[in-house]
Amino acid sequence: MGLTASSVASVSVSPPALSFSVMGTPSARKLLQAASFVVHLLGPKHAALARDFARTGGARFTPEQGWSTLPSGEPILPDALAAMRVAPLQLVPVGDSTIVVAQVLDVFHGPEDGRLIHHAREFITLPFTTLTPERTGS
């Protein structure tokens, strides 16, 4: 099973942990029962994949999408910006959603090829840029 979470946040450095929320969809219910799973940070070339995972009946884990399997059994997308194998620490029901707090067990780095942002119900792609510190004074 797979789904698209529109927001993933860092929670803790020690232990390394992240959070996101899910609605009560069939995929989310399966995810909430999993002992571990992989959270992917997607880049611009993954906009179609993110759309597929966001809608009921969208293509999931197809060979064309480029999936592999970790030795622990979870699917992984090797060309994602990053992938984190996690284990749930806490599940917090809030209304019709559940906040998932998960400990990061492993981190896998992929290519740095830009950003995929979800805003106003659309995916926006932005290149990585190097920020130059602002200089003040002389």
Side-chain angles (χ1 to χ4, degrees):
M1 112 314 284
L3 55 86
T4 297
S6 61
S7 179
V8 176
S10 174
V11 173
S12 172
V13 172
S14 183
L18 56 80
S19 69
F20 58 93
S21 68
V22 295
M23 302 290 283
T25 64
S27 290
R29 286 193 293 274
K30 288 179 184 176
L31 180 129
L32 295 174
Q33 296 172 0
S36 65
F37 50 90
V38 178
V39 174
H40 293 84
L41 303 180
L42 302 178
K45 65 182 167 189
H46 299 111
L49 182 139
R51 277 188 211 93
D52 283 343
F53 274 65
R55 64 183 171 84
T56 302
R60 285 172 171 70
F61 308 109
T62 67
E64 299 79 27
Q65 293 170 334
W67 293 96
S68 294
T69 304
L70 291 173
S72 51
E74 299 93 344
I76 187 166
L77 192 60
D79 66 349
L81 300 180
M84 295 162 283
R85 185 172 161 268
V86 302
L89 288 172
Q90 293 185 338
L91 304 175
V92 183
V94 180
D96 60 355
S97 296
T98 300
I99 298 171
V100 177
V101 179
Q103 181 174 353
V104 178
L105 305 173
D106 298 299
V107 177
F108 306 92
H109 295 277
E112 293 184 8
D113 67 349
R115 300 178 195 113
L116 180 61
I117 299 169
H118 189 257
H119 176 72
R121 302 181 81 70
E122 291 184 37
F123 287 103
I124 301 165
T125 60
L126 296 172
F128 277 122
T129 58
T130 304
L131 299 176
T132 305
E134 187 175 313
R135 297 178 187 225
T136 58
S138 48

